[in-house]
């Protein structure tokens, strides 16, 4: 029988207890695995260090380089790619969703291969013009197409929205202003001479040494309306409808975008008054004509022996209260001609406004003759007969009308033959 013998150096446990002291936790005892003084580790020749080993906190461990992390591209950092995406998004928000290749590569750090990949058919981007991208999948609207033309023509390193190196002009600029018959395409863009730029689909760059005053329309840098109207007249195809120049220039003046004197000066500076269509349109604007319908009425009246009327004269009462501005007015006879087109006068509100204007004129002794553009075109003799009768009636009245034409004068037509 084998009996366990107690070590004499070990204290006897107290009565009623069965726990035996753990040598590893006894006071003064070394932790398990700690070499004893003077001991050597296997494979070493000197004494082992007696300093206990300590664990390094995770926060102080050296970070693994991004280029060695699983799934990362060599030489790139996720933070850099994220900042590049942020720059591209900020540019797109500022430029109606459009960015140039130079802005993506130099400003946002987007690799060229990424641009090409994302702009493929079916991708999230679209290539609208060479070096110009739309960061959306839907079709571009007219405003985006107009700005894309400016981005294409602007110098790569310049801010394209500043209007310093490229501005929209001509029909595309006028279309942004709401001029109905101004064509939005092709887009004419001015660039500073002597710089040259090849045309692109739907874009016609034009170098000029006479840089215009600029403005911003719907986020697109454009030339001022007076210059845009002159550039439109200069670039209009001779085969275009004969009344297109007449209509567009009249709308620009009628809408208040420029004064007829300023437009005439710009047309003269651009050497466009030698063109018959431009010269005729400018002449009509100087005498007060503000629409194609009024211009045709002027042509009809000019072929007769009727007195020459004032066009779009502003009529006031003797106290200075504004009454109306009829299309044509004969002040000596107190007769007005109103050319009422269905487009502007035959909605419910417009028709009521037309009747109120006529009542105001008639209440101050003005005799009103109304006709439509179709009547002047198809049956001018009937309109002229009515005008003759009313003019004779107005001339024979003992009491003249109380309406006065103020601030209106017949303007000399090109006195210098320029």
């Amino acid at each position: 029988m084998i009996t366990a013998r107690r070590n004499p150096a070990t204290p006897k446990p107290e009565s009623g207890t069965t726990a035996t002291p753990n040598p590893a936790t006894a006071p003064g005892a070394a932790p398990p695995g700690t070499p004893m003084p003077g001991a050597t580790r296997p494979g070493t020749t000197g004494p082992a260090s007696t300093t206990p080993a300590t664990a390094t906190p995770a926060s102080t461990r050296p970070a693994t380089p991004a280029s060695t992390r699983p799934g990362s591209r060599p030489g790139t950092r996720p933070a850099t790619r994220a900042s590049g995406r942020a720059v591209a998004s900020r540019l797109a928000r500022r430029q109606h969703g459009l960015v140039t290749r130079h802005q993506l590569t130099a400003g946002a750090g987007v690799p060229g291969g990424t641009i090409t990949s994302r702009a493929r058919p079916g991708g999230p981007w679209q290539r609208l013009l060479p070096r110009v991208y739309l960061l959306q999948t839907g079709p571009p609207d007219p405003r985006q197409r107009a700005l894309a033309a400016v981005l294409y023509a602007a110098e790569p390193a310049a801010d394209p929205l500043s209007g310093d190196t490229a501005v929209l002009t001509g029909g595309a600029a006028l279309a942004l202003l709401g001029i109905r018959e101004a064509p939005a395409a092709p887009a004419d863009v001015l660039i500073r001479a002597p710089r040259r730029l090849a045309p692109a689909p739907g874009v016609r760059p034009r170098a000029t040494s006479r840089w215009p005053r600029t403005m911003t329309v719907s986020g697109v840098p454009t030339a001022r309306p007076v210059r845009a109207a002159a550039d439109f007249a200069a670039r209009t195809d001779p085969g275009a409808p004969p009344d297109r120049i007449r209509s567009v220039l009249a709308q620009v003046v009628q809408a208040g975008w420029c004064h007829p004197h300023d437009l005439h000066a710009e047309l003269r500076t651009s050497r466009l008054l030698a063109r018959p269509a431009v010269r005729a349109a400018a002449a009509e604007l100087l005498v007060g004509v503000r629409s194609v319908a009024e211009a045709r009425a002027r042509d009809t009246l000019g072929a007769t022996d009727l007195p020459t009327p004032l066009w779009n004269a502003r009529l006031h009462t003797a106290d200075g209260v504004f009454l109306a501005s009829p299309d044509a007015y004969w002040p000596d006879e107190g007769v007005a001609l109103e050319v009422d087109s269905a487009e502007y006068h035959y909605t419910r509100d417009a028709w009521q406004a037309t009747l109120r204007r006529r009542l105001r004129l008639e209440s101050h002794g003005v005799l009103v003759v109304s006709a439509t553009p179709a009547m002047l075109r198809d049956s001018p003799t009937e309109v002229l007969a009515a005008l003759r009768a009313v003019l004779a009636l107005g001339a024979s009245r003992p009491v003249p009308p109380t309406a006065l034409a103020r601030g209106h004068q017949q303007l000399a037509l090109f006195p210098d033959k320029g």
Side-chain angles (χ1 to χ4, degrees):
M1 179 177 180
I2 301 174
T3 58
R5 300 180 61 185
R6 183 173 54 88
N7 189 343
T10 304
K12 182 178 180 180
E14 297 181 2
S15 176
T17 63
T18 58
T20 302
N22 187 351
T25 60
T34 303
M36 296 297 293
T40 61
R41 294 179 180 175
T44 62
T45 57
S49 173
T50 60
T51 304
T54 57
T56 303
S59 59
T60 62
R61 294 174 185 174
T64 303
S67 59
T68 62
R69 293 178 185 172
S72 64
R73 296 176 55 188
T76 62
R77 300 181 67 89
T80 302
R81 293 198 300 269
S83 62
R85 288 194 297 267
V87 172
S89 298
R90 185 166 62 252
L91 286 170
R93 286 194 300 269
R94 182 172 178 256
Q95 299 172 173
H96 301 322
L98 295 160
V99 290
T100 66
R101 188 177 187 88
H102 181 270
Q103 289 174 333
L104 288 172
T105 56
V110 179
T114 301
I115 300 173
T116 303
S117 175
R118 297 180 72 84
R120 288 174 180 169
W125 296 356
Q126 302 177 59
R127 179 180 176 272
L128 293 188
L129 292 169
R131 306 180 302 278
V132 180
Y133 300 89
L134 178 62
L135 307 191
Q136 69 180 43
T137 56
D141 58 29
R143 181 182 58 177
Q144 290 172 323
R145 290 193 179 277
L147 182 57
V150 175
L151 294 180
Y152 167 75
E155 293 184 3
D159 179 6
L161 301 186
S162 66
D164 290 335
T165 62
V167 290
L168 195 69
T169 189
L174 297 178
L176 285 180
L177 296 175
I179 305 301
R180 296 185 312 280
E181 296 187 31
D188 293 316
V189 184
L190 295 177
I191 59 176
R192 292 184 182 271
R195 182 170 171 249
R196 292 291 184 266
L197 184 66
V203 182
R204 297 188 299 191
R206 177 188 173 193
T208 180
S209 58
R210 194 167 59 90
W211 196 251
R213 297 178 61 193
T214 63
M215 60 188 292
T216 300
V217 181
S218 300
V220 182
T222 70
R224 295 279 180 147
V226 64
R227 175 64 179 271
D231 288 339
F232 162 78
R235 302 301 293 269
T236 298
D237 190 344
D243 283 337
R244 173 167 290 181
I245 291 179
R246 194 183 215 180
S247 175
V248 169
L249 297 187
Q251 289 181 53
V252 172
V253 174
Q254 174 70 17
W257 290 113
C258 67
H259 192 276
H261 279 175
D262 297 331
L263 180 57
H264 171 254
E266 183 65 36
L267 294 171
R268 177 190 296 170
T269 303
S270 302
R271 302 180 182 275
L272 295 172
L273 293 179
R275 301 184 184 185
V278 177
R279 184 180 180 88
E284 293 165 355
L285 294 173
L286 285 178
V287 298
V289 172
R290 297 294 180 265
S291 69
V292 171
E294 295 173 10
R296 291 172 179 166
R298 180 173 179 265
D299 292 342
T300 301
L301 296 175
T304 68
D305 58 351
L306 293 176
T308 300
L310 304 178
W311 293 93
N312 288 288
R314 296 178 60 82
L315 303 186
H316 297 76
T317 66
D319 298 332
V321 178
F322 175 72
L323 292 175
S325 181
D327 296 328
Y329 182 64
W330 287 263
D332 295 336
E333 294 82 4
V335 174
L337 171 64
E338 291 276 57
V339 183
D340 299 333
S341 62
E343 182 178 2
Y344 297 106
H345 296 275
Y346 288 124
T347 64
R348 177 183 175 184
D349 294 340
W351 178 243
Q352 290 184 357
T354 299
L355 293 180
R356 292 193 191 97
R357 184 172 64 253
R358 180 165 183 165
L359 288 175
R360 287 197 302 271
L361 292 173
E362 291 177 338
S363 66
H364 288 81
V366 178
L367 303 176
V368 181
V369 176
S370 296
T372 65
M375 294 169 62
L376 285 167
R377 182 186 66 244
D378 301 333
S379 54
T381 55
E382 296 180 4
V383 179
L384 293 174
L387 276 174
R388 289 182 186 279
V390 175
L391 286 170
L393 179 61
S396 62
R397 286 186 296 176
V399 179
T402 58
L404 303 175
R406 293 188 174 183
H408 187 91
Q409 60 179 348
Q410 286 288 70
L411 302 177
L413 299 184
F414 313 109
D416 56 356
K417 306 296 183 182

